[in-house]
């Protein structure tokens, strides 16, 4: 049922979990009064430990690489260009596992992330409203639009309800 309505990804360990873990850890370290340097290094250690514990699925490897690049950019005062981070994460995974790009998990993870960092801003700029409710709908929609063709081909599954169901379930 979850596959048919396009929400099976919610039950997979993914980059979304890496993001939640990082935000949670940064919040905890700020409450504990960690210095900027200690927050940086402890965040990287937590992300690397998490990836090691769960066996480094492609989506977690991608998200961890992108998170570490983002942390480096943030703590050194540089801008984080997300498309470059995505490309670097892809190169890192490619060096470790040259066959990774041929797996559906790699393709879905990178396409969904590309949708979030490339398609979403372009759609958002076309909507003049500053209402944040638009963002709640457009973020999962952008990821879903990016992976839709790939979902249709190998899984023979194209579910229009998946667009709506992902908008609703992504925030649960």
């Amino acid at each position: 049922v979850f596959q048919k309505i396009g929400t099976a990804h919610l039950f997979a360990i993914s980059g979304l979990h890496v993001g939640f873990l990082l935000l949670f850890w940064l919040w905890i370290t700020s409450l504990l009064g960690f210095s900027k340097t200690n927050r940086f290094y402890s965040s990287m250690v937590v992300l690397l430990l998490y990836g090691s514990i769960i066996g480094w699925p492609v989506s977690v490897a991608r998200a961890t690489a992108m998170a570490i690049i983002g942390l480096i950019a943030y703590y050194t005062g540089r801008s984080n260009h997300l498309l470059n981070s995505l490309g670097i994460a892809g190169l890192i995974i490619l060096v470790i596992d040259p066959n990774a790009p041929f797996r559906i998990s790699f393709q879905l993870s990178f396409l969904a992330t590309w949708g979030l960092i490339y398609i979403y801003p372009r759609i958002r700029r076309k909507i003049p409203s500053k209402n944040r409710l638009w963002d709640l709908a457009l973020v999962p929609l952008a990821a879903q639009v990016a992976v839709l063709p790939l979902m249709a081909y190998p899984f023979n599954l194209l579910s229009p309800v998946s667009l709506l169901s992902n908008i609703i379930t992504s925030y649960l």
Side-chain angles (χ1 to χ4, degrees), residues 42-103:
S42 66
S43 296
M44 287 200 308
V45 167
V46 164
L47 292 176
L48 294 172
L49 280 173
Y50 178 70
S52 297
I53 289 169
I54 61 167
W56 293 105
V58 169
S59 59
V60 171
R62 179 207 40 81
T64 300
M66 290 182 73
I68 289 173
I69 292 166
L71 286 168
I72 291 168
Y74 177 77
Y75 285 107
T76 59
R78 295 178 177 216
S79 60
N80 182 15
H81 299 284
L82 293 174
L83 283 174
N84 290 344
S85 297
L86 183 64
I88 292 168
L91 287 173
I92 291 168
I93 293 169
L94 186 62
V95 166
I96 294 168
D97 181 6
N99 291 319
F102 301 106
R103 292 193 197 100

Side-chain angles (χ1 to χ4, degrees), residues 10 35 37 79 82 92 105 111 134 143-144 148:
L10 296 173
S35 69
T37 303
S79 60
L82 293 174
I92 291 168
S105 59
L111 273 176
W134 278 106
Q144 192 71 20
L148 225 91

Side-chain angles (χ1 to χ4, degrees), residues 6-162:
T7 57
H9 63 90
L10 296 173
F11 299 100
I13 295 175
S14 67
L16 181 66
H17 299 103
V18 172
F20 284 140
L21 176 64
L22 180 59
L23 289 175
F24 178 72
W25 183 253
L26 290 172
W27 177 67
I28 292 293
T29 56
S30 69
L31 289 177
L32 295 174
F34 279 36
S35 69
K36 185 177 177 179
T37 303
N38 288 339
R39 289 178 77 192
F40 171 70
Y41 287 116
S42 66
S43 296
M44 287 200 308
V45 167
V46 164
L47 292 176
L48 294 172
L49 280 173
Y50 178 70
S52 297
I53 289 169
I54 61 167
W56 293 105
V58 169
S59 59
V60 171
R62 179 207 40 81
T64 300
M66 290 182 73
I68 289 173
I69 292 166
L71 286 168
I72 291 168
Y74 177 77
Y75 285 107
T76 59
R78 295 178 177 216
S79 60
N80 182 15
H81 299 284
L82 293 174
L83 283 174
N84 290 344
S85 297
L86 183 64
I88 292 168
L91 287 173
I92 291 168
I93 293 169
L94 186 62
V95 166
I96 294 168
D97 181 6
N99 291 319
F102 301 106
R103 292 193 197 100
I104 193 76
S105 59
F106 179 95
Q107 297 164 10
L108 287 171
S109 179
F110 276 81
L111 273 176
T113 305
W114 177 80
L116 294 172
I117 61 180
Y118 186 80
I119 295 174
Y120 165 73
R122 279 151 182 77
I123 296 172
R124 187 62 178 109
R125 276 192 291 256
K126 297 204 183 290
I127 299 172
S129 172
K130 299 280 186 214
N131 190 336
R132 299 300 254 171
L133 289 176
W134 278 106
D135 297 329
L136 293 174
L138 292 177
V139 167
L141 181 69
Q144 192 71 20
V145 164
V147 300
L148 225 91
L150 190 60
M151 293 295 294
Y153 179 71
F155 298 111
N156 295 321
L157 186 64
L158 184 58
S159 175
V161 76
S162 68

